[in-house]
Amino acid sequence: MSSTEIRRTALDALHRSLGATMTDFAGWDMPLRYGSERDEHVAVRTRAGLFDLSHMGEITVTGPQAAELLNHALVGNIASVGVGRARYTMICRADGGILDDLIVYRLAETEYMVVANASNAQVVLDALVERAAGFDAEVRDDRDAYALIAVQGPESPGILKSLTDADLDGLKYYAGLPGTVAGVPALIARTGYTGEDGFELFVKPEHAVELWQALTKAGEGAGLVPCGLSCRDTLRLEAGMPLYGHELSTDLTPFDAGLGRVVKFDKEGDFVGREALQQAAARSRENPPRVLVGLVAEGRRVPRAGYPVVAGGEVIGEVTSGAPSPTLGKPIAMAYVDAAHSAPGTAGVGVDIRGSHEPYEVVALPFYKRQK
């Protein structure tokens, strides 16, 4: 396959039959929306939504030293993750810059699945292969071995329960267990990128259509709707979740992004980027250059990534993500701003939207937190 040829998921024909608007996302043809992205967003917040996330990059790491390899390659303490649990972490360069943010599942004593963002899957795979030198562990590209379907929203546990006898009540957030859903073998993970309760189901691509249809049928009475990447973006933005290429990049360390908590200096052994990250941690304590904040519009104009954040006629930062918030009913944004303007309620902050300085309120993230 040529590198320019667009990839399609196992659900491609089904998306088209549902009238999805498709878009190229990280080299994959993905559904952007099926109808109204606002309606899809509200469905996930109040009922349930069904997502195709098969573009995500799965990488399997196995072998006697799989844990040691991942502890060396990633910033988190992966060796301390119990079997059946998952952890949010990052892979950084030697200079501390973020290559990607990841979820790592421990599937068995010596078997892990690393899930990378679609746009970075190859970069992460290459870095893990390179960093595996000297470890008794194997890194395997399993991107074609999985389709990934997510069901997210308050009704998702009930919908999934009707299709599986797996112990969903006992399945904690950031945990995964093997089970059968609608007769299909799956890794059932209680994870998501929406700010709601929900599940991500890793299955073989040949089972994807069957599973999607079973979930659709099971969710009919609960108001489940198919959802595209557009509402996934507004859902994660409201939940204050970072997106690689926006809030995260190789120009930033986890400490710059306000996610220094994922870096575990106290784990055994050295890890890639340790020295640079220790310096970044000290800098962020003494004098943070910029802080990631939430901005809520006083008016109706929507800020977009790259727009300058201003105060007193000076540029004090930059918007990383912006969109209308269906839940708040006004435009919102995440932005890196200088520390002096980062406290919630800071007066006089605006966004330069095509030459006009629109007033914005600085707020703490996230914008939205579900009721437990």
Side-chain angles (χ1 to χ4, degrees), residues 195-250:
E196 296 300 334
D197 192 10
F199 303 86
E200 295 183 323
L201 308 170
F202 295 85
V203 299
K204 287 182 174 172
E206 58 265 33
H207 293 148
V209 169
E210 180 188 344
L211 180 58
W212 179 283
Q213 289 172 334
L215 286 162
T216 299
K217 194 165 177 12
E220 273 171 2
L224 173 102
V225 301
C227 293
L229 292 180
S230 189
C231 85
R232 189 166 181 252
D233 191 49
T234 51
L235 289 160
R236 71 92 196 165
L237 177 56
E238 287 184 349
M241 294 175 167
L243 175 63
Y244 196 89
H246 290 256
E247 289 72 41
L248 309 175
S249 74
T250 50

Side-chain angles (χ1 to χ4, degrees), residues 2-345:
S2 78
S3 59
T4 52
E5 191 178 331
I6 196 141
R7 303 184 69 175
R8 300 184 195 282
T9 78
L11 294 161
D12 185 75
L14 197 146
H15 297 316
R16 290 166 197 282
S17 74
L18 292 171
T21 302
M22 306 297 284
T23 188
D24 176 356
F25 185 83
W28 290 81
D29 211 14
M30 298 298 293
L32 190 62
R33 70 182 77 80
Y34 297 84
S36 147
E37 54 205 49
R38 189 181 182 284
D39 290 349
E40 291 171 25
H41 179 112
V42 171
V44 176
R45 283 277 177 262
T46 58
R47 303 187 304 278
L50 193 58
F51 296 83
D52 178 9
L53 306 178
S54 303
H55 60 311
M56 300 295 281
E58 295 87 6
I59 301 160
T60 304
V61 180
T62 55
Q65 290 190 303
E68 289 88 338
L69 160 58
L70 289 170
N71 263 12
H72 165 70
L74 312 179
V75 300
N77 188 350
I78 308 305
S80 68
V81 177
V83 173
R85 298 307 302 262
R87 184 156 296 166
Y88 175 78
T89 187
M90 294 184 184
I91 182 167
C92 290
R93 301 192 307 195
D95 66 1
I98 302 166
L99 284 172
D100 201 14
D101 62 335
L102 312 163
I103 295 180
V104 180
Y105 296 88
R106 189 169 196 165
L107 304 180
E109 196 57 40
T110 59
E111 183 181 3
Y112 296 81
M113 179 167 67
V114 177
V115 182
N117 285 297
S119 53
N120 296 327
Q122 191 63 49
V123 169
V124 173
L125 177 68
D126 292 345
L128 286 175
V129 168
E130 186 184 315
R131 294 173 190 188
F135 289 93
D136 186 3
E138 181 201 346
V139 176
R140 188 172 72 231
D141 180 0
D142 269 347
R143 281 177 286 181
D144 294 335
Y146 292 102
L148 178 55
I149 294 173
V151 54
Q152 300 276 305
E155 297 289 342
S156 59
I159 293 167
L160 199 54
K161 268 181 196 170
S162 70
L163 296 174
T164 183
D165 55 9
D167 177 18
L168 297 187
D169 291 334
L171 187 64
K172 295 183 171 72
Y173 187 52
Y174 266 75
L177 85 169
T180 305
V181 182
V184 168
L187 171 68
I188 305 166
R190 200 164 207 152
T191 45
Y193 194 49
T194 61
E196 296 300 334
D197 192 10
F199 303 86
E200 295 183 323
L201 308 170
F202 295 85
V203 299
K204 287 182 174 172
E206 58 265 33
H207 293 148
V209 169
E210 180 188 344
L211 180 58
W212 179 283
Q213 289 172 334
L215 286 162
T216 299
K217 194 165 177 12
E220 273 171 2
L224 173 102
V225 301
C227 293
L229 292 180
S230 189
C231 85
R232 189 166 181 252
D233 191 49
T234 51
L235 289 160
R236 71 92 196 165
L237 177 56
E238 287 184 349
M241 294 175 167
L243 175 63
Y244 196 89
H246 290 256
E247 289 72 41
L248 309 175
S249 74
T250 50
D251 296 333
L252 298 167
T253 72
F255 294 94
D256 297 324
L259 291 164
R261 64 180 181 275
V262 306
V263 182
K264 303 300 179 193
F265 293 118
D266 57 354
K267 63 178 173 175
E268 278 182 34
D270 197 13
F271 63 92
V272 178
R274 177 193 277 273
E275 201 176 315
L277 289 168
Q278 280 172 326
Q279 292 167 3
R283 277 199 310 275
S284 74
R285 279 194 301 271
E286 289 154 25
N287 185 20
R290 281 188 171 179
V291 179
L292 188 65
V293 300
L295 298 174
V296 178
E298 292 178 22
R300 308 301 311 164
R301 296 185 73 184
V302 179
R304 297 296 181 196
Y307 284 11
V309 182
V310 292
E314 300 288 318
V315 173
I316 58 151
E318 187 177 295
V319 170
T320 53
S321 298
S325 163
T327 306
L328 275 65
K330 23 176 111 164
I332 58 171
M334 285 201 270
Y336 281 108
V337 301
D338 64 34
H341 295 87
S342 63

Side-chain angles (χ1 to χ4, degrees), residues 331-357:
I332 58 171
M334 285 201 270
Y336 281 108
V337 301
D338 64 34
H341 295 87
S342 63
T346 300
V349 172
V351 175
D352 184 341
I353 300 182
R354 300 194 185 89
S356 165
H357 290 192

